[in-house]
Structure formats: structure tokens, C-alpha cells
């Protein structure tokens, strides 16, 4: 019976190192899920922009009034026809964050 216990102890000891290795691979750093950017709510979508200007896309089938959010005073609203693009003027240093309906 002593040999049987020794054989079981050796078998159990041989199996132990494989358990932490398997757990080590399962507990690796979590993989970040891909970031899915939700579309802006409403019909106004910020398009391209540069120094002094920004484009606003109207993704709906009716005319809207829209502007963009910037630090400080937001530019005045402009009208954009269904499915159209309107260009809005910005002040020096303004960088638009998003477009919105007025």
C-alpha cells in the first residue's frame, strides 16, 4: 500500500504544475473590446473641419438648423437642406467637438 501512495503522490505532483500553467494563460490581461463610436444623436453630424470652418452633414430627409459645439461661444445656427452639407464659420483657434440641431 505504501507503493500505491507513493505512486499517487508522484502522479498528483506531476499534474500540479500543469494546472497553474493553464490558469496562467486563462488569467492573462483582458483584451480590450474594440471601441464602437456611436453616431451623434439627431440629424446633424460633424464632418471635416479646419482653421476657420467646419462642415455639418444633415443625415435626415428634412431641412434642419444646426451648429457645432466649441469652447466659448458656439457659432450661429445655419440651415441645411435634406441630405445636404453646410459649412459654418469658426473663430481662430476654435475646434468643433460635435454638431447639433438648434
Amino acid at each position: 500500500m505504501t507503493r500505491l501512495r507513493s505512486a499517487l503522490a508522484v502522479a498528483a505532483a506531476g499534474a500540479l504544475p500543469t494546472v497553474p500553467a493553464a490558469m496562467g494563460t486563462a488569467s492573462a490581461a483582458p483584451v480590450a473590446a474594440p471601441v464602437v463610436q456611436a453616431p451623434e444623436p439627431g440629424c446633424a453630424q460633424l464632418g471635416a473641419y479646419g482653421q476657420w470652418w467646419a462642415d455639418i452633414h444633415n443625415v435626415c430627409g428634412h431641412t434642419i438648423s444646426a451648429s457645432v459645439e466649441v469652447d466659448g461661444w458656439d457659432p450661429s445656427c445655419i440651415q441645411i437642406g435634406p441630405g445636404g452639407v453646410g459649412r459654418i464659420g469658426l473663430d481662430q483657434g476654435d475646434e468643433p467637438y460635435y454638431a447639433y440641431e438648434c
Side-chain angles (χ1 to χ4, degrees):
M1 190 133 156
T2 306
R3 286 184 188 222
L4 180 59
R5 281 189 202 164
S6 296
L8 289 175
V10 169
L16 285 177
T18 60
V19 173
M23 290 175 66
T25 57
S27 65
V31 176
V35 177
V36 177
Q37 186 173 7
E40 298 170 22
C43 297
Q45 303 288 313
L46 178 62
Y49 61 89
Q51 184 67 24
W52 305 101
W53 62 273
D55 286 344
I56 302 172
H57 296 263
N58 177 357
V59 297
C60 294
H62 58 275
T63 300
I64 63 169
S65 291
S67 186
V68 293
E69 176 70 24
V70 296
D71 288 338
W73 292 98
D74 293 347
S76 297
C77 296
I78 59 171
Q79 267 196 341
I80 306 168
V85 176
R87 181 160 285 182
I88 194 165
L90 302 176
D91 289 336
Q92 182 176 5
D94 282 349
E95 185 170 333
Y97 297 109
Y98 59 87
Y100 64 91
E101 291 180 68
C102 306

